[in-house]
Amino acid sequence: MPPKFDPNDPAVAELINLFKSFGLSETKSLEVARNPKTAATLQEIVVSCKLTANPLEDKQAGLISLLANQSSKLGEEERDYIAKAIADSRLKSNDQLNAAIKFLEVNPSPIDDAKFDYECGVGFNITPDELKVEIKDYIDAQGGAAWEKFNALLGGTRQDPRIRWANTLDVKNTIEALLTEELGPKPKAVPASKGKGKDSKKEPVTSAGSTSGPSTSNIDRDPIASSAATERSVFEEGFLGKLHKVGGNVQKHESRRKEHLDWTKGKVFTRFPPEPNGFLHIGHSKAIFINFGYAAHNGGHCYLRYDDTNPEAEEGRYFESILEIVRWLGYEPYKITYSSDHFQKLYELAVDLTKRGLAYVCHCTGEEINAARGGAERGPRYACAHRDRPIEESLAEFEKMKSGQRKPGEAILRMKQDLEDGNPQMWDLVAYRVINTPHHRTGDKWVIYPTYDFTHCLCDSFENITHSLCTTEFVQSRVSYEWLCNALDIYCPRQSEYGRLNIEGTVMSKRKLKKLVDQKYVMDWDDPRLYTLIALRRRGVPPGAIKAFVSGLGVSTATTNIQLSRLEQSIREHLELNVPRLLMVVKPLKVTIENLAEDFVQMIEKPLHPKVPEFGTSTIPFTRTIYIDQDDFRLEDSKDYFRLAPGKTVGLFQAPYPITYVSHNTDESGKVIEVICKAENTGPPKKPKAFIQWVAEHAPTGSPIRIDELRIFHQLFKSANPAAEPDYLKDIAPDTLETIKGSMIEVGFLPLAKKAYAAALKEGKERTENALKADKESADPSVKEEISHDDAPRATAEQLVGNEVVRFQGLRVGYFALDKDAALSCFKESEAASPALKPVDKVVLNRVVSLKEDSGKST
């Protein structure tokens, strides 16, 4: 008989603890441990893939245990490859796991990443319109629409490779919508699905491109209101939905919990605590979204706290930029604070910790400290010679550090923690060090500065933070965080860790970014080819698009690695119904319509967006001389080409009639410089097969607007992970900035630009007034500031308004925004003044992102 299962057996208990440590529930851990073969495989996976370093979500851990049970036919390399794909959230469902196992059983190492991703639905993305087309083709292939085939159609889509990985509910709703369009409402006698005899009362889900048309709520004029439904689910479900209630974190002393609840009144208090030593990047947007969003969702407050404990790396411009970006993303800090606000209190607590025998001054070098911690070989750990020095001696040495009698590196204050603990964050971390650099706020008052490990948790405690939310790289720091608060008998906040956001195809390291700027590979920190938030803002990416992107990714403990294409798709989806559309010609070609008089002009009123009437209209001239794009004309015609060519008639968007080719003129090199056409304005109207964009020459109305520079930005790096390259500078792609001069845009651009800028400025002023009022009301006059906040960054309307607020879609070209290098006089003119281009004006546009179909000019 096999030995009886005993969960208390030391070996079994060790296994169970291992399984629990990477995120598996206790019940599931016990279940797996009962099966020796599965348990052994799971143990190999956990150890080989180092899963305990970043514990997984319940669902991910469950998939890992399922893999252990079903991977008997896989080699170790293939099995571990799947485990890592689960851990980094590439594989998220049982269906994907089954597909991965089947794929690698047939296609073992070397593994083709791209093929694996395709077969397993990794990064699968399909728009509602694309899904509708694919499902219609599938229905036609199955013999056409019929309500009685509904269940068979729904089940069959799971086998179709084009739509297998689409959301099941989206597939179901699309099938219902298509059947309804063709056959009418579902007959009551036909059940919607097995086991249900009643029709579903739910309406099919409509998409942005549906015929039902958008409501005014689709216009994202308030970035805070964007994707409200998605944000609600993020804050109520998953990782954030499982966070403790205010006061629910256990305290060493019950009195501290009561004091905390008295102060917070049960409200949530979070903080966003950046180091002011660089510009924020796209990864920080997740931290901002989570900390400010979670507090707001729960009726609480979020501090903006500058963690300014390293004067060697901090600059005033970083402080200003951080506040500007937070506000640009739609958030207002409850209060702006600094770690340096508490330098005196932090020093006093360091003395207190030393008096308790829990800190000591150490004179070891960095190499000696590393050796005492086991070194690179992870050998035995041992205490340094100074650990057990008398308390009074450490106090005296600490005073010498404070008074400037010790040079940098000669002495540090270390916390006396637990060298036997397996967690490196308990190996006597440094609390204070000597830095002989003046601080931007305290000047020369201090020459000793607290470390992050000493400062962070204490400032959280001072500010009564209810939820200290940070990324999983700080998981091990939670132990030292709680140790220090409890060692000093103060309120101990609860630290909770979520997975960070990484974007593939770029670098976000401050050191690497600085090198790109310093060596002139990019224009500056806000170069639109970078993924700093100031760069994305300059490019013209709306703040609402970034928030919608982050919200759509969800929040879990797993690191999120996202391809650039997914971010760009999210931006497109946001812009589609949130910006007007203008006629635009990138590379103009002159067209003369010979049968119109020299002075012919017809003013055309056209909608700024066919699906969003709230945008209004623009009025443009139609004249004898117009410009089309060079790509919309060719001399050699073909059957699959429907734009302008010899013998062809083509429509002009919003124009009163189409035009037909007559002849053309060339320069000395043979290049076509003018096309002669005739307007089809007599006889029976011709119905053209294609329409092209155009702008007219008409000096009285200032048409067209000539663009001084049109900037097209391409991906800066060639590889998906340039940071991993031995020399990431060699991975820079050629010709990543394309500058086009002489492009044209319809004259409706100027009124649109002036209106957009004025609206943004008005909103900025209102928000700023409300923010300053709230700040004044929240101030407590009884609390004396340790350091004056007169030099603190202040909320201003100008922080929220830049040229980038002028955004539009160039019809069939792309989405564009006004660059900061542009200058338009109309922004400073009165509301009543009619905007016109002045000689001093300069029009510089950035392409925010290409169109979904990448211009769609294949026919």
Side-chain angles (χ1 to χ4, degrees), residues 92-299:
K92 301 177 181 179
S93 67
N94 288 3
D95 282 348
Q96 285 184 302
L97 174 60
N98 291 335
I101 292 173
K102 290 178 181 177
F103 176 77
L104 291 186
E105 284 178 352
V106 179
N107 303 278
S109 181
I111 299 169
D112 184 331
D113 291 343
K115 193 170 182 181
F116 175 90
D117 287 356
Y118 174 79
E119 292 294 335
C120 302
V122 176
F124 178 85
N125 187 40
I126 190 169
T127 67
D129 289 342
E130 290 168 346
L131 181 62
K132 185 175 181 180
V133 170
E134 295 292 353
I135 290 181
K136 189 176 188 309
D137 288 347
Y138 174 76
I139 291 174
D140 292 341
Q142 303 305 310
W147 278 111
E148 58 267 27
K149 296 196 300 186
F150 178 85
N151 289 330
L153 291 171
L154 182 59
T157 59
R158 298 295 88 190
Q159 308 304 318
D160 190 305
R162 298 170 298 174
I163 47 181
R164 176 184 177 186
W165 302 110
N167 180 277
T168 304
L169 181 59
D170 290 343
V171 171
K172 174 181 177 291
N173 288 329
T174 303
I175 293 175
E176 287 183 343
L178 286 168
L179 294 183
T180 301
E181 285 177 11
E182 188 165 343
L183 305 173
K186 185 190 319 173
K188 290 189 176 182
V190 180
S193 60
K194 290 183 180 180
K196 291 185 180 182
K198 295 182 180 180
D199 286 344
S200 170
K201 299 294 182 183
K202 293 183 180 179
E203 294 293 327
V205 176
T206 58
S207 67
S210 67
T211 55
S212 61
S215 68
T216 56
S217 62
N218 284 328
I219 301 176
D220 180 23
R221 297 199 172 96
D222 178 2
I224 300 178
S226 67
S227 303
T230 306
E231 289 186 18
R232 278 197 297 273
S233 65
V234 167
F235 297 126
E236 294 171 1
E237 301 171 359
F239 172 83
L240 294 174
K242 296 175 184 176
L243 294 178
H244 65 278
K245 302 296 182 183
V246 176
N249 47 321
V250 178
Q251 298 297 308
K252 181 180 178 181
H253 302 291
E254 177 61 17
S255 60
R256 297 301 186 202
R257 191 181 76 88
K258 291 179 179 179
E259 291 168 359
H260 172 65
L261 286 173
D262 287 343
W263 192 92
T264 61
K265 302 294 189 293
K267 283 189 173 183
V268 167
F269 281 83
T270 61
R271 80 288 172 272
F272 173 58
E275 296 177 64
N277 60 2
F279 293 102
L280 302 180
H281 54 65
I282 184 66
H284 290 109
S285 65
K286 183 173 183 179
I288 295 171
F289 171 81
I290 289 173
N291 280 285
F292 281 93
Y294 183 75
H297 180 76
N298 290 283

Side-chain angles (χ1 to χ4, degrees), residues 361-376:
V361 172
C362 172
H363 302 282
C364 294
T365 64
E367 292 77 11
E368 290 170 336
I369 292 174
N370 184 53
R373 289 173 171 172

Side-chain angles (χ1 to χ4, degrees), residues 549-809:
F549 169 67
V550 174
S551 177
L553 296 176
V555 181
S556 71
T557 57
T559 297
T560 306
N561 296 303
I562 297 298
Q563 294 177 337
L564 285 175
S565 58
R566 185 168 173 185
L567 170 61
E568 290 180 349
Q569 180 61 21
S570 182
I571 295 169
R572 286 189 195 95
E573 290 172 356
H574 182 89
L575 289 170
E576 184 179 0
L577 292 177
N578 285 304
V579 296
R581 299 178 181 180
L582 302 176
L583 293 173
M584 183 177 183
V585 174
V586 176
K587 296 178 180 179
L589 173 62
K590 183 179 179 181
V591 173
T592 300
I593 306 175
E594 64 176 8
N595 60 334
L596 295 182
E598 291 282 353
D599 60 350
F600 175 86
V601 59
Q602 179 175 343
M603 302 306 294
I604 299 170
E605 185 178 15
K606 54 179 277 294
L608 284 170
H609 199 300
K611 298 177 183 176
V612 188
E614 291 80 8
F615 279 125
T617 62
S618 68
T619 301
I620 60 173
F622 178 66
T623 64
R624 174 184 169 89
T625 302
I626 65 172
Y627 297 91
I628 65 172
D629 202 289
Q630 293 175 14
D631 291 339
D632 285 332
F633 173 76
R634 65 165 66 163
L635 289 174
E636 294 183 8
D637 193 13
S638 62
K639 292 182 179 180
D640 60 347
Y641 181 79
F642 301 114
R643 285 170 279 141
L644 192 61
K648 285 280 180 69
T649 297
V650 69
L652 303 173
F653 283 115
Q654 309 294 336
Y657 24 72
I659 58 175
T660 299
Y661 170 88
V662 175
S663 63
H664 66 273
N665 297 317
T666 63
D667 62 13
E668 294 178 354
S669 68
K671 179 183 177 182
V672 176
I673 57 173
E674 182 183 18
V675 180
I676 311 300
C677 293
K678 68 174 182 177
E680 298 294 341
N681 53 356
T682 60
K686 285 189 176 183
K687 187 176 181 180
K689 292 185 178 181
F691 286 80
I692 60 176
Q693 67 267 40
W694 59 279
V695 292
E697 185 75 55
H698 188 242
T701 58
S703 177
I705 300 295
R706 286 173 166 81
I707 301 168
D708 294 283
E709 284 189 22
L710 182 65
R711 297 172 180 170
I712 311 294
F713 303 97
H714 303 287
Q715 189 169 326
L716 188 60
F717 295 98
K718 292 179 282 189
S719 72
N721 188 12
E725 297 293 323
D727 183 354
Y728 73 104
L729 295 178
K730 292 182 179 178
D731 192 47
I732 294 176
D735 305 320
T736 57
L737 170 58
E738 181 183 355
T739 302
I740 302 172
K741 298 190 176 185
S743 298
M744 299 175 177
I745 192 168
E746 69 167 80
V747 73
F749 167 75
L750 283 179
L752 167 71
K754 182 178 180 180
K755 183 178 180 181
Y757 192 86
L761 188 59
K762 180 182 178 182
E763 180 189 348
K765 288 178 178 178
E766 291 174 353
R767 271 190 57 192
T768 300
E769 288 173 4
N770 293 333
L772 294 175
K773 182 180 177 181
D775 186 53
K776 188 175 181 180
E777 291 175 351
S778 68
D780 186 349
S782 66
V783 178
K784 186 178 180 180
E785 291 181 348
E786 182 178 319
I787 300 173
S788 171
H789 281 198
D790 290 343
D791 63 341
R794 302 289 179 182
T796 66
E798 289 70 27
Q799 290 168 340
L800 304 175
V801 185
N803 285 352
E804 78 284 342
V805 301
V806 180
R807 304 181 185 93
F808 64 92
Q809 182 196 120

